[in-house]
């Protein structure tokens, strides 16, 4: 094959038919479209779906990704498009790497984001290694994010459609993983465009609803899942003000989150009170006025840096950060303390910063993502 063969759509200097790509298929519309599109383009597609739950387990809710119905839907897409499809049992891996940490973090008073850990520890680690074992040239997913080539290698960029952008959940992608990964949907203008492609390829699931909430948390009821995973964890205690005065009793710290106002059972006060801190050791839910939720300083650890230069304590960086998946990035100053820890100064104070959430770094002047880390101490 000549060395000057033009690059195919996945960036390889060879025909699609000679390019093997493993597609991580959750059974949803997005990953199904990726698989169908690559198969239509003539790539050597291998579909892989992870079974993350026992089909009879109460943890999985109807419509959750990687559960029974979705496995069936992924298999049907593979059959219709004519490429092989495999289901891998990752139940134990998922429980150990994601669910157990979720439960333990919640019990410690944090607000974890298990979807990030799933991408980091399961999909982009174990599944990616499986793709390499299958002699694939790359692995493709249905995430809404973009991979662009820069002068020093692959870069991570936000999706074209800001409403679908999933950069908050993918900040921990390592540079070497980014070299191997592909995200064919990141450039699309909207989810409607993805569904239109599904109809073009004749996929029966073109109008299938998106998954909502955390896949193993039915109806967003975190506390119920924690009680199932850790029986007896919801021990009662006191709701106290910042001076330690007991205002009411609660039925378990796991039922509360930083910034919560409703459902505290302390109505009738002159001014509204919010949860400002959770003291797990004392079993205290600490409440106070709204201004106590506001902070400018956010400590971050376990930083994954995706910039071109080294992340060290000598360089103060003016970038944008996102501390919630649903809010736009805000201007900030990052002051590195080590290769993996930093103090973030928000130029505009933010309410309800909670330990266990992610702090994702963005270039203020472009769509590039510089990585991020984990917020580790509450305020």
């Amino acid at each position: 094959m000549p060395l000057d063969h033009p690059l195919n759509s996945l960036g390889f200097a060879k025909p699609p038919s000679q390019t093997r790509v493993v597609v991580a298929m959750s059974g949803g519309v997005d990953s199904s479209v990726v698989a169908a599109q690559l198969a239509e383009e003539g790539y050597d597609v291998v579909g892989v779906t992870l079974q993350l739950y026992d089909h009879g387990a109460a943890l999985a809710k109807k419509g959750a990704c990687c559960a029974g119905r979705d496995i069936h839907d992924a298999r049907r897409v593979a059959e219709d498009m004519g490429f092989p499809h495999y289901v891998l049992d990752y139940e134990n891996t998922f429980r150990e790497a994601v669910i157990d940490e979720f439960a333990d973090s919640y019990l410690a008073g944090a607000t974890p984001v298990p979807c990030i850990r799933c991408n980091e520890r399961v999909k982009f680690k174990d599944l990616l290694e499986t793709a390499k074992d299958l002699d694939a040239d790359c692995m493709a997913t249905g995430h809404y994010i973009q991979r662009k080539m820069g002068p020093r290698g692959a870069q991570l960029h936000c999706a074209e459609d800001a409403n679908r952008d999933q950069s908050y959940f993918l900040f921990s992608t390592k540079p070497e993983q980014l070299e191997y990964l592909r995200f064919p949907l990141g450039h699309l203008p909207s989810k409607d465009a993805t569904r239109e492609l599904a109809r073009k390829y004749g996929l029966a699931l073109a109008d299938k609803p998106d998954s909502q909430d955390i896949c193993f948390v039915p109806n967003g009821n975190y506390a119920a899942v924690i009680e199932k995973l850790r029986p007896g964890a919801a021990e009662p205690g006191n709701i106290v003000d910042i001076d330690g005065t007991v205002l009411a009793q609660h039925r378990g710290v796991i039922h509360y989150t930083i910034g919560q106002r409703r459902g505290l059972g302390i109505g009738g006060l002159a001014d509204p009170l919010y949860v400002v801190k959770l003291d797990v050791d004392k079993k205290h839910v600490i409440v106070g006025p709204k201004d106590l939720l506001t902070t400018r300083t956010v400590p971050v650890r376990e930083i994954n840096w995706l910039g071109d230069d080294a992340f060290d304590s000598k360089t103060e960086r003016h970038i944008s950060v996102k501390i919630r998946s649903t809010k736009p990035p805000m201007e900030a100053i990052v002051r590195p303390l080590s290769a993996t820890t930093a103090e973030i100064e928000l130029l505009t104070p933010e309410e309800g910063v909670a330990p266990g959430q992610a702090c994702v770094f963005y270039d203020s002047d472009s769509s590039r993502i510089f990585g991020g880390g984990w917020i580790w101490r509450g305020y």
Side-chain angles (χ1 to χ4, degrees):
M1 182 169 54
L3 294 177
D4 60 350
H5 192 284
L7 296 180
N8 60 35
S9 64
L10 294 178
F12 298 98
K14 53 185 177 181
S17 61
Q18 297 177 26
T19 305
R20 175 168 292 179
V21 51
V22 164
V23 179
M25 300 182 68
S26 68
V29 178
D30 301 326
S31 58
S32 296
V33 165
V34 168
Q37 180 174 359
L38 294 175
E40 182 83 358
E41 292 177 11
Y43 285 96
D44 179 9
V45 173
V46 178
V48 175
T49 300
L50 304 182
Q51 179 184 316
L52 301 182
Y53 314 101
D54 182 293
H55 294 325
L59 280 179
K61 68 176 183 289
K62 183 179 180 181
C65 79
C66 310
R69 178 66 198 178
D70 290 307
I71 292 173
H72 170 80
D73 288 343
R75 181 181 292 118
R76 180 175 177 180
V77 170
E79 291 174 351
D80 290 346
M81 298 303 297
F83 60 82
H85 174 258
Y86 302 96
V87 178
L88 304 181
D89 182 355
Y90 272 44
E91 277 187 56
N92 290 337
T93 297
F94 185 69
R95 178 175 286 274
E96 293 169 3
V98 179
I99 295 180
D100 283 345
E101 184 190 76
F102 169 83
D104 293 340
S105 296
Y106 222 90
L107 289 175
T111 308
V113 191
C115 297
I116 297 175
R117 291 303 196 192
C118 181
N119 290 324
E120 172 190 319
R121 297 176 175 178
V122 180
K123 294 175 182 175
F124 290 179
K125 182 176 180 289
D126 293 341
L127 179 54
L128 189 145
E129 290 303 315
T130 297
K132 291 181 177 180
D133 290 342
L134 292 171
D135 294 324
D137 294 282
C138 64
M139 186 174 90
T141 80
H143 289 105
Y144 287 86
I145 198 165
Q146 297 188 80
R147 173 189 181 275
K148 299 182 179 182
M149 292 305 298
R152 299 191 183 183
Q155 300 175 352
L156 204 60
H157 286 255
C158 295
E160 183 68 24
D161 180 7
N163 293 322
R164 303 296 302 182
D165 177 65
Q166 292 177 290
S167 57
Y168 184 86
F169 301 99
L170 297 170
F171 80 86
S172 61
T173 306
K174 304 293 187 289
E176 60 271 18
Q177 295 170 334
L178 191 54
E179 293 292 338
Y180 192 72
L181 290 163
R182 300 293 188 273
F183 309 106
L185 301 185
H187 69 286
L188 294 181
S190 67
K191 182 60 179 270
D192 288 341
T194 305
R195 294 192 185 279
E196 191 58 39
L197 284 173
R199 297 184 188 98
K200 171 187 173 182
Y201 300 127
L203 304 184
L205 46 60
D207 296 313
K208 184 176 181 178
D210 291 337
S211 298
Q212 302 292 329
D213 300 318
I214 296 171
C215 62
F216 60 89
V217 181
N219 304 315
N221 190 344
Y222 296 1
V225 171
I226 301 302
E227 289 182 291
K228 183 176 180 64
L229 293 169
R230 301 288 187 270
E235 298 184 47
N238 292 326
I239 298 177
V240 302
D241 64 18
I242 56 175
D243 297 318
T245 302
V246 176
L247 303 178
Q249 280 69 50
H250 65 74
R251 55 195 179 95
V253 172
I254 63 173
H255 293 280
Y256 301 86
T257 57
I258 302 297
Q260 180 176 336
R261 176 187 173 188
R262 298 182 182 278
L264 300 180
I266 50 175
L269 300 176
D271 298 307
L273 296 178
Y274 300 77
V275 176
V276 298
K277 188 176 180 181
L278 300 172
D279 188 327
V280 176
D281 293 333
K282 294 182 180 179
K283 302 182 181 63
H284 282 177
V285 173
I286 302 168
V287 297
K290 190 175 185 179
D291 60 354
L292 290 183
L293 288 172
T294 303
T295 185
R296 285 183 178 270
T297 306
V298 182
V300 177
R301 62 184 178 183
E302 294 183 59
I303 288 172
N304 177 55
W305 178 246
L306 295 175
D308 293 331
D309 56 344
F311 188 84
D312 58 49
S313 58
K314 299 178 182 178
T315 307
E316 181 178 283
R317 305 172 188 275
H318 290 253
I319 62 175
S320 298
V321 301
K322 182 184 285 193
I323 58 174
R324 287 187 184 84
S325 64
T326 55
K327 298 193 68 173
M330 60 187 70
E331 294 300 305
I333 300 172
V334 177
R335 298 188 174 93
L337 303 176
S338 73
T340 58
T341 61
E343 181 179 270
I344 313 300
E345 179 186 345
L346 305 176
L347 300 192
T348 301
E350 180 66 15
E351 295 178 356
V353 177
Q357 294 284 291
C359 179
V360 183
F361 305 160
Y362 298 83
D363 183 357
S364 299
D365 300 318
S366 74
S367 61
R368 188 175 179 184
I369 300 143
F370 284 144
W374 296 92
I375 302 168
W376 66 274
R377 188 173 65 235
Y379 293 89

